[in-house]
Amino acid sequence: MALVGPSTSACLRRLNPLLFSARRRPAWTPRRAARRFCAAVVASERDVFTSPEVAKSFDFTNEERIYKWWESQGFFKPSFDRGGDPFVIPMPPPNVTGSLHMGHAMFVTLEDIMIRYFRMKGRPTLWLPGTDHAGIATQLVVEKMLAAEGIKRTELTREEFTKRVWEWKEKYGGTITNQIKRLGASCDWSRECFTLDEQLSRAVIEAFIRLHEKGLIYQGIIIIYVTYSITEQIVCVLVFLSVYCIT
């Protein structure tokens, strides 16, 4: 007597359609098996993978070595030339000034699960990484750095201050990116974006123009209560801004 019949399969699909889909592609074909076997052989020859039985305690450096090998093999880059319906997730950009916390770890884990699932199904899959400029937070950090050097922001021109901000970003802005990599996130880092990149800035301006032309946004006056700290002094400001509001 068969343990799994048509009715049982239907029940399993209802319980978990991701694992028990009637349209699932075969997990192993001769061609797939040959490709994965060759990749495993090359990885073993280059000492990328180490059996956990060899060491008495887990060596976290193995993770970094394996991740770099994944990147070098282009496993995270989509193959759009194969056709099929692309699956793309733009990463919610974390602040460039920040460091990883539990919220980041949660969204990275959930998005990585979805990306790897559709990648294994054979669909062209792209996880687009990036970071946010975090304007106010970045300005405060740079102002504190200048204060430590005995320099006030008002003593610099706009161009000089902007230059110092970009210098800080290039030097210290990669902390959270490296932490996300250590989580094993399978992003295509060759496409990494920054919210102040010229291409993205043009895209934002174009989007606002199109929304305004369609009458979907309007310009209005709002009040923002801002509290921030500079050199240990708390400053509270009421700011009147002319902004575009979504209808």
Side-chain angles (χ1 to χ4, degrees):
M1 181 178 178
L3 296 178
V4 179
S7 59
T8 307
S9 300
C11 293
L12 291 175
R13 286 196 296 272
R14 285 196 296 271
L15 288 173
N16 196 331
L18 295 181
L19 295 179
F20 303 100
S21 173
R23 297 183 179 180
R24 282 189 70 191
R25 297 176 59 182
W28 289 97
T29 61
R31 182 174 296 181
R32 284 188 187 179
R35 286 202 304 264
R36 295 184 182 183
F37 177 75
C38 291
V41 170
V42 172
S44 298
E45 291 177 350
R46 296 180 181 178
D47 196 28
V48 175
F49 303 119
T50 303
S51 172
E53 298 177 358
V54 175
K56 294 183 179 180
S57 59
F58 182 73
D59 186 3
F60 291 95
T61 59
N62 291 336
E63 294 180 353
E64 192 171 3
R65 186 171 68 252
I66 293 171
Y67 189 87
K68 289 181 179 179
W69 183 78
W70 283 348
E71 277 195 287
S72 67
Q73 299 300 307
F75 292 153
F76 302 156
K77 296 181 179 180
S79 300
F80 294 111
D81 55 342
R82 294 189 303 177
D85 186 20
F87 181 79
V88 181
I89 297 182
M91 176 183 290
N95 289 347
V96 70
T97 58
S99 56
L100 206 65
H101 56 66
M102 291 301 295
H104 295 118
M106 182 184 70
F107 93 73
V108 167
T109 301
L110 295 177
E111 292 188 1
D112 202 21
I113 290 172
M114 292 186 286
I115 285 292
R116 291 177 184 268
Y117 170 74
F118 285 104
R119 186 183 292 132
M120 288 190 293
K121 292 194 70 173
R123 290 178 60 177
T125 305
L126 171 62
W127 191 6
L128 184 64
T131 50
D132 181 45
H133 60 280
I136 296 177
T138 302
Q139 178 177 335
L140 294 178
V141 171
V142 174
E143 286 189 19
K144 288 182 179 180
M145 181 186 68
L146 292 174
E149 300 175 7
I151 303 174
K152 295 182 179 180
R153 177 178 59 84
T154 54
E155 297 175 356
L156 302 177
T157 64
R158 180 185 180 91
E159 291 73 19
E160 291 173 341
F161 183 76
T162 302
K163 182 181 178 182
R164 295 297 295 267
V165 171
W166 277 103
E167 289 175 352
W168 181 92
K169 184 262 177 184
E170 294 299 326
K171 187 174 182 180
Y172 300 104
T175 300
I176 198 165
T177 298
N178 293 329
Q179 289 177 329
I180 292 175
K181 287 184 177 181
R182 289 304 304 273
L183 285 178
S186 56
C187 309
D188 184 359
W189 293 104
S190 65
R191 301 171 184 258
E192 184 180 5
C193 298
F194 181 55
T195 48
L196 291 185
D197 288 344
E198 183 178 355
Q199 181 179 2
L200 294 184
S201 297
R202 290 201 308 267
V204 170
I205 294 174
E206 179 66 22
F208 269 83
I209 291 174
R210 292 188 184 185
L211 290 172
H212 182 67
E213 290 175 347
K214 293 180 179 180
L216 298 177
I217 58 176
Y218 65 94
Q219 192 172 18
I221 303 297
I222 65 172
I223 301 177
I224 298 179
Y225 183 72
V226 182
T227 303
Y228 59 94
S229 173
I230 300 179
T231 62
E232 304 303 327
Q233 295 181 352
I234 303 298
V235 181
C236 300
V237 184
L238 281 177
V239 183
F240 292 84
L241 295 178
S242 176
V243 300
Y244 281 98
C245 306
I246 300 176
T247 58

